[in-house]
Amino acid sequence: MKKIFIFLQILLFTLSFSSCGDELDTSYSIFDDNVIKEQNEFDEWLDRYYVKPYNIRVIYNYVDMYSNYDYDLIPADFEKSKALTYAARYLWIEPYEEHVGSAFFRQYAPRVLHYVGNPGWKSNGSVVLGEAEGGLRISFFNVNAITIGNASTLMRYIKTMHHEYAHIFQQKKLTDPAFDQLTPGMYQSDNWTSTSLADALKGGCISAYATSSPTEDFVEVYSIFVVSTPEEWAGFLATAGTDGAKIINKKFEIVYNYYKDSWGIDIYEMRDIVGRRKKEIETIDLNTLYK
């Protein structure tokens, strides 16, 4: 009798649970893939200035699938993400549009820009500020180091943008292998952190990071030249000394010819455009420029 009573209790509980299920709101599920996040004003701005003209998505929220699990990463600050995105359009996208046209940039633009709040620290103590993933995604790290209202704090990211974008060109068309043979003894992979800028320059590399590999050396020549003033570039060559400057100039000639012949980009003209805009960004309000 006791067993029958327990069975009846279980049966009644099951029936009551089923009847309650009939009252559940089945129109919504936490697993519903069709739920769309409500857009804020910045999202609408991104649609107008990034998605529609270039098919570029800007991921400023922390999204696991875009993150590198080799590092402990945190989300990027919202306002600093906005400042970086405005500056990216003015100092990276628009210079290419001005020089080679919007169709060119659209064709070779990455599909995703991904922002991370802190730097990615590697085991050798170096800091990752940017990564290019197969020409499809560019990630920018340490966005939270930006100071709102201080345009100079954006400049390191502008150099990173041109550096990572240059990798996309490398991935599309081969560079001259003669470049790799100019300073083969200087390349030391992750041990580049032990090289000072002065030693790198004297050895024929434009930066300490350029000593990590020929691939990085190539895009360092391009990106540093494009974002530097003529006086700053001359300063690098002066520090390099006669021998170092001679090698750097040979590398520059190869880099110049590659971008001119393979892509129709004159990096002297790109430097002039970026340099002019770097001066302009000190006095204009990007919040009002892009309405």
Side-chain angles (χ1 to χ4, degrees):
M1 183 68 181
K2 185 176 181 181
K3 291 182 179 179
I4 295 174
F5 179 72
I6 293 174
F7 173 77
L8 289 173
Q9 282 185 314
I10 295 173
L11 179 62
L12 288 172
F13 176 77
T14 303
L15 290 173
S16 65
F17 182 80
S18 299
S19 64
C20 289
D22 294 336
E23 299 174 4
L24 291 176
D25 180 6
T26 58
S27 64
Y28 173 78
S29 168
I30 61 172
F31 303 107
D32 189 354
D33 293 332
N34 295 318
V35 175
I36 300 175
K37 172 181 170 288
E38 184 177 350
Q39 286 196 326
N40 56 42
E41 289 185 7
F42 184 51
D43 293 324
E44 294 172 355
W45 184 93
L46 289 172
D47 281 344
R48 186 162 62 253
Y49 285 104
Y50 274 81
V51 177
K52 291 180 180 178
Y54 312 115
N55 193 26
I56 297 176
R57 292 180 60 207
V58 177
I59 309 298
Y60 59 87
N61 294 319
Y62 188 86
V63 179
D64 278 345
M65 67 177 290
Y66 293 116
S67 300
N68 189 325
Y69 296 122
D70 291 337
Y71 315 120
D72 293 324
L73 303 176
I74 63 174
D77 177 84
F78 178 69
E79 292 299 328
K80 294 178 180 183
S81 295
K82 287 171 61 177
L84 179 59
T85 309
Y86 295 156
R89 181 175 172 90
Y90 197 74
L91 294 173
W92 171 47
I93 295 176
E94 291 183 359
Y96 281 100
E97 288 188 318
E98 187 175 334
H99 180 45
V100 289
S102 57
F104 177 93
F105 183 84
R106 188 184 308 114
Q107 181 177 357
Y108 298 107
R111 298 281 72 91
V112 173
L113 299 183
H114 171 232
Y115 299 160
V116 176
N118 61 324
W121 288 94
K122 302 186 74 172
S123 58
N124 64 349
S126 63
V127 175
V128 177
L129 293 179
E131 289 181 337
E133 301 291 336
L136 298 177
R137 180 175 82 247
I138 296 179
S139 295
F140 297 105
F141 295 75
N142 207 25
V143 172
N144 293 351
I146 293 172
T147 300
I148 302 296
N150 185 349
S152 64
T153 63
L154 292 165
M155 294 309 157
R156 72 171 67 179
Y157 303 93
I158 303 308
K159 185 264 181 181
T160 301
M161 290 171 190
H162 287 281
H163 176 107
E164 299 301 337
Y165 193 47
H167 276 310
I168 293 178
F169 294 127
Q170 278 183 322
Q171 294 160 5
K172 300 290 185 182
K173 295 181 182 181
L174 293 176
T175 58
D176 188 342
F179 183 97
D180 301 7
Q181 302 306 314
L182 289 174
T183 54
M186 288 294 293
Y187 302 124
Q188 48 191 326
S189 189
D190 285 346
N191 291 327
W192 68 268
T193 54
S194 62
T195 303
S196 67
L197 174 59
D199 287 342
L201 289 167
K202 291 174 182 177
C205 294
I206 196 61
S207 70
Y209 186 54
T211 67
S212 62
S213 72
T215 300
E216 298 298 340
D217 191 5
F218 195 95
V219 297
E220 281 287 272
V221 171
Y222 174 82
S223 58
I224 291 175
F225 183 84
V226 165
V227 302
S228 298
T229 65
E231 293 75 20
E232 288 169 338
W233 186 260
F236 293 137
L237 296 180
T239 302
T242 303
D243 293 338
K246 184 178 180 180
I247 298 172
I248 292 173
N249 283 329
K250 286 182 179 179
K251 289 182 177 181
F252 176 81
E253 183 179 359
I254 293 174
V255 171
Y256 176 86
N257 289 334
Y258 170 75
Y259 283 99
K260 185 67 174 176
D261 297 340
S262 297
W263 300 102
I265 296 173
D266 186 317
I267 62 178
Y268 280 106
E269 291 187 24
M270 277 294 295
R271 179 177 69 174
D272 291 344
I273 295 170
V274 173
R276 187 193 75 239
R277 286 172 170 266
K278 282 174 64 178
K279 293 178 181 178
E280 293 169 350
I281 203 173
E282 297 285 349
T283 58
I284 62 176
D285 183 358
L286 294 179
N287 290 285
T288 59
L289 179 65
Y290 299 121
K291 283 292 187 180

